[in-house]
Amino acid sequence: PRDWSSDVCSSDLSRSLTLFCGTLDLNGKKLTIGSFVNAGDLTRSISYNSGTLVLNGSGTVMDASGSGYTSSGSGTINLSSSSAKTFSGGGFSYPTLNQGGSGAMTIDGSNTFADITNSYASTGSTTITFTAGTTQTVTQFSASGSSGKQLILNSSSAGTRYNLLDSSGTNSVSYTTISDSHAYGGAKWNSFISNGNVDSGDNFGWDFSYSPISYNGFSLGYGFSQFAGLSIKDGLSVKR
């Protein structure tokens, strides 16, 4: 039998855990498996309680379907493979979903997330692909790349948008290359080109202007820094 009381529980890459009924309580621990199947119509749930579910296989590593499923508590689902992997969420609600490997991560189905992040940014470039026509509802969206390590956000079908919905707040990304994305819902979606972002076309709702400049408590507005060589008294110089 497996000791679930330890801080870390790991399984072979090829192992899959299936939840048909009952509750899986991560209790603040880290569970590492190849893939996770969440299927059926019986009542079942995951209590994350600040725990982490690491899915380190390739292919469809989260396969959710049916009804009767709920999740609770903050936590993270980390897809860590260097090969392509798919999160098929089945339309359910989840905590933070993290891209943790070089292999492209595809999000399938219209789901709800606390956040979507990219921890691989410190290592290299990677991709998050959204199934065309689907909607991911988020409380916040934090997925970014880093200098020289661009994060690509794209659609599974070029020319057909995917949707990102957030009802309030501000989502700011950096070092991303975005295409075929519809970001909306009341929140601000900042993808300033001055922060390394690239507009690859067919985007709606993202702000690809230059970041605003503040001076003595006043904001000079979006796009202001495009005016090269413009100087303001008291020594503030704005250069492109």
Side-chain angles (χ1 to χ4, degrees):
R2 175 108 22 212
D3 179 9
W4 293 90
S5 64
S6 62
D7 288 337
V8 178
C9 180
S10 299
S11 182
D12 185 86
L13 275 176
S14 62
R15 296 288 181 89
S16 178
L17 176 65
T18 300
L19 180 65
F20 285 118
C21 63
T23 298
L24 171 62
D25 188 352
L26 295 183
N27 194 29
K29 313 299 183 183
K30 178 189 290 186
L31 171 61
T32 302
I33 52 178
S35 60
F36 186 83
V37 178
N38 169 18
D41 298 318
L42 298 177
T43 301
R44 61 200 188 282
S45 63
I46 297 181
S47 296
Y48 286 88
N49 295 323
S50 300
T52 300
L53 178 61
V54 179
L55 304 176
N56 55 15
S58 59
T60 301
V61 294
M62 170 62 80
D63 187 2
S65 62
S67 61
Y69 170 76
T70 57
S71 66
S72 62
S74 62
T76 302
I77 303 172
N78 182 28
L79 274 58
S80 61
S81 178
S82 58
S83 299
K85 60 267 187 182
T86 297
F87 184 98
S88 183
F92 297 118
S93 295
Y94 299 92
T96 296
L97 177 64
N98 179 64
Q99 163 62 300
S102 59
M105 179 177 78
T106 297
I107 302 176
D108 186 36
S110 295
N111 312 290
T112 299
F113 298 99
D115 196 358
I116 297 176
T117 60
N118 172 38
S119 66
Y120 194 72
S122 60
T123 304
S125 299
T126 191
T127 299
I128 299 177
T129 298
F130 301 85
T131 301
T134 61
T135 299
Q136 309 309 319
T137 301
V138 298
T139 302
Q140 66 183 82
F141 187 90
S142 305
S144 290
S146 60
S147 181
K149 303 176 180 67
Q150 206 77 359
L151 171 64
I152 297 173
L153 302 175
N154 62 12
S155 170
S156 62
S157 178
T160 303
R161 289 174 179 159
Y162 59 90
N163 305 297
L164 296 173
L165 171 62
D166 187 2
S167 60
S168 63
T170 299
N171 299 300
S172 298
V173 299
S174 57
Y175 298 101
T176 62
T177 298
I178 306 174
S179 60
D180 298 318
S181 179
H182 178 201
Y184 70 110
K188 293 180 180 179
W189 296 84
N190 294 338
S191 50
F192 302 136
I193 59 176
S194 48
N195 291 337
N197 298 295
V198 177
D199 180 359
S200 281
D202 193 34
N203 295 304
F204 181 85
W206 291 96
D207 185 351
F208 284 98
S209 67
Y210 283 76
S211 56
I213 297 173
S214 296
Y215 178 65
N216 281 352
F218 295 94
S219 176
L220 302 183
Y222 297 96
F224 189 85
S225 59
Q226 295 181 58
F227 298 97
L230 177 64
S231 296
I232 301 174
K233 67 178 182 178
D234 296 330
L236 176 64
S237 177
V238 182
K239 295 182 180 181
R240 185 171 179 176

